[in-house]
């Protein structure tokens, strides 16, 4: 099998301290976007603006995620990939960045090369990677969930490694809110961009639609024989009849999802990596508008 990386870019963004629901009704374009009898009150998870179609908006409300095809350009993805490689080669060392290796190779000798790096976290001080959070096409959709004041709360680029045979490349099913000390949850959204084609074979994102309407569940390390990556906690009450949906995505496709949505990813059975960029940070950084209360 061809040996190549599989890439994702992923950010968690939040509006902190959304002052009141009054914001929801004061939008001048709402009437042209939706029928007059369409009450904004029936939307809990999305805000009024002219970006989402009614269908897209209802889809997110019902399912807790929304895939936008072909959102990020190949040129930008190429730039993010090159910056990731520079970080792995230690040509740049952005302050606060954390470089992780898969647990299956955590104790082997470190070589500064992207083939051993499974994830870089907290790249908010890397101007090139942080550009992802500020791309107008990303911000435009993020605002539908957070409103106009946007903080990047966690940033991550995931280079999902080919499984070594121990199934440690899996990411157990979890809710991101488990990791977040901030609220309200409905004003938080994760933006996740495939940096190349991803499907079940290389461990695409897996979601359980509608679970954003449920509670935050208890999380713990799964009992996996081959080991589990640091901080990869999972929900405990997996039910076989849960309807998992595998999100097959092309390079540049982006999924926005709610922090209570149960999701994870399966084994990467290919010989390639799968990179994603993922963003949220306690060392949050302003993307747009005003810094409210952090
Ligand atoms: C992390 C995110 C998780 C996934 C969830 C994703 C979705 C949700 C979004 C929100 C995510 C929020 C994440 C929470 C934020 C907090 C974190 O980032 S926790 C991440 C880990 N960080 C720390 O533990 C802080 C201290 N840092 C370190 O210990 C190291 O920097 C390191 C990150 C562990 C890697 O160190 P490194 O120098 O590369 O490696 P060693 O010094 O050789 O290893 C030290 C020790 O750790 C073991 N180890 C290394 N990698 C892993 C791994 N991937 N999984 C498990 N264990 C690992 C290694 O074997 C060594 O063990 P020893 O017994 O001490 O020899
Ligand atoms: N029966 C289960 N119990 C607990 N968690 C599960 C179960 N099945 C799947 N998962 C979780 O959901 C994630 C995605 O599952 P999925 O079945 O897509 O991946 P996989 O089992 O690694 O690969 P595949 O089924 O394609 O061979 C897995 O990584 C795993 O963490
Ligand atoms: O990309 C993956 O495999 C899972 C990432 C994830 O859980 C996340 O971005 O929150
Ligand atoms: Fe997650
Ligand atoms: Mg399976």
């Amino acid at each position: 099998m061809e040996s190549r990386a599989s890439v994702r870019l992923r950010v968690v963004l939040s509006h902190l301290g959304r002052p009141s629901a009054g914001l929801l009704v004061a939008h001048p374009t709402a009437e042209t976007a939706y029928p007059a009898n369409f009450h904004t009150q029936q939307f809990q998870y999305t805000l009024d603006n002219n970006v989402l179609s009614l269908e897209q908006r209802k889809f997110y409300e019902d399912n807790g995620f929304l895939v936008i095809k072909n959102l990020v350009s190949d040129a930008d993805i190429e730039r993010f990939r090159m910056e990731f490689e520079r970080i792995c080669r230690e040509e740049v060392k952005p302050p606060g960045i954390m470089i992780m290796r898969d647990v299956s190779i955590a104790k082997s000798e470190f070589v500064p090369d992207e083939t051993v790096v499974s994830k870089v976290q907290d790249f908010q001080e890397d101007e090139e990677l942080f550009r992802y959070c500020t791309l107008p096409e990303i911000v435009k959709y993020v605002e539908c969930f957070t409103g106009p004041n946007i903080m990047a709360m966690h940033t991550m680029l995931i280079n999902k490694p080919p499984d070594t045979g121990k199934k440690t490349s899996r990411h157990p099913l979890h809710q991101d809110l488990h990791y977040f000390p901030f609220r309200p949850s409905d004003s938080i959204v994760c933006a996740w961009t495939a940096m190349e084609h991803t499907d079940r074979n290389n461990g695409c994102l897996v979601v359980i639609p509608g679970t954003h309407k449920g509670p935050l569940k208890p999380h713990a390390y799964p009992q996996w024989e081959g080991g589990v990556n640091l901080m990869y906690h999972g929900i405990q009450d997996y039910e076989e009849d849960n309807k998992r949906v595998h999100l097959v995505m092309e390079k540049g496709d982006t999924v926005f999802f709610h922090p209570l949505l149960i999701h994870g990813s399966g084994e990467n059975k290919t010989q390639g990596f799968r990179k994603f960029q993922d963003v949220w940070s306690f060392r949050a950084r302003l993307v747009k508008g005003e810094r409210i209360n952090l």
Side-chain angles (χ1 to χ4, degrees), residues 100-101 103 106-107 119 121 176 179 229-231 280:
M100 306 279 294
R101 287 186 281 171
V103 62
K107 289 187 198 294
K119 191 161 76 176
Q121 280 203 110
D176 285 356
Y179 298 93
N229 281 304
L230 208 59
M231 294 299 287
W280 81 250

Side-chain angles (χ1 to χ4, degrees), residues 98-171:
M98 190 188 292
I99 296 176
M100 306 279 294
R101 287 186 281 171
D102 187 82
V103 62
S104 63
I105 59 162
K107 289 187 198 294
S108 53
E109 199 193 338
F110 182 77
V111 280
D113 179 299
E114 76 268 11
T115 60
V116 301
V117 173
S118 57
K119 191 161 76 176
V120 296
Q121 280 203 110
D122 295 337
F123 58 67
Q124 70 281 354
E125 300 306 326
D126 183 292
E127 294 308 325
E128 183 69 353
L129 290 183
F130 189 74
R131 225 168 46 77
Y132 171 71
C133 306
T134 67
L135 289 176
E137 58 272 34
I138 292 288
V139 171
K140 175 177 122 177
Y141 284 100
V142 167
E143 279 195 84
C144 301
F145 311 104
T146 63
N149 301 307
I150 304 171
M151 299 283 291
M153 302 304 292
H154 183 249
T155 59
M156 189 183 278
L157 188 152
I158 304 166
N159 187 38
K160 192 175 172 91
D163 204 275
T164 57
K166 298 187 156 181
K167 300 192 178 213
T168 54
S169 67
R170 289 176 294 168
H171 198 136

Side-chain angles (χ1 to χ4, degrees), residues 8 10 156 158 160 171 174 176 190 192 203 205 257 263-265 274 276 278:
R8 325 171 158 178
R10 188 259 202 210
M156 189 183 278
I158 304 166
K160 192 175 172 91
H171 198 136
H174 66 280
D176 285 356
C190 176
W192 187 110
L205 199 70
F257 65 87
H263 65 283
S265 62
R274 191 214 57 188
F276 298 86
D278 187 321

Side-chain angles (χ1 to χ4, degrees), residues 10-14 16 95-98 120-125 130 133 151-156 179-182 188-189 278-287 291 294:
R10 188 259 202 210
V11 255
V12 173
L13 301 119
S14 173
L16 294 165
I97 207 157
M98 190 188 292
V120 296
Q121 280 203 110
D122 295 337
F123 58 67
Q124 70 281 354
E125 300 306 326
F130 189 74
C133 306
M151 299 283 291
M153 302 304 292
H154 183 249
T155 59
M156 189 183 278
Y179 298 93
F180 304 157
F182 45 90
I188 303 171
V189 72
D278 187 321
V279 188
W280 81 250
S281 177
F282 293 112
R283 314 203 7 208
R285 183 171 162 188
L286 191 65
V287 169
R291 190 164 188 136
L294 253 195

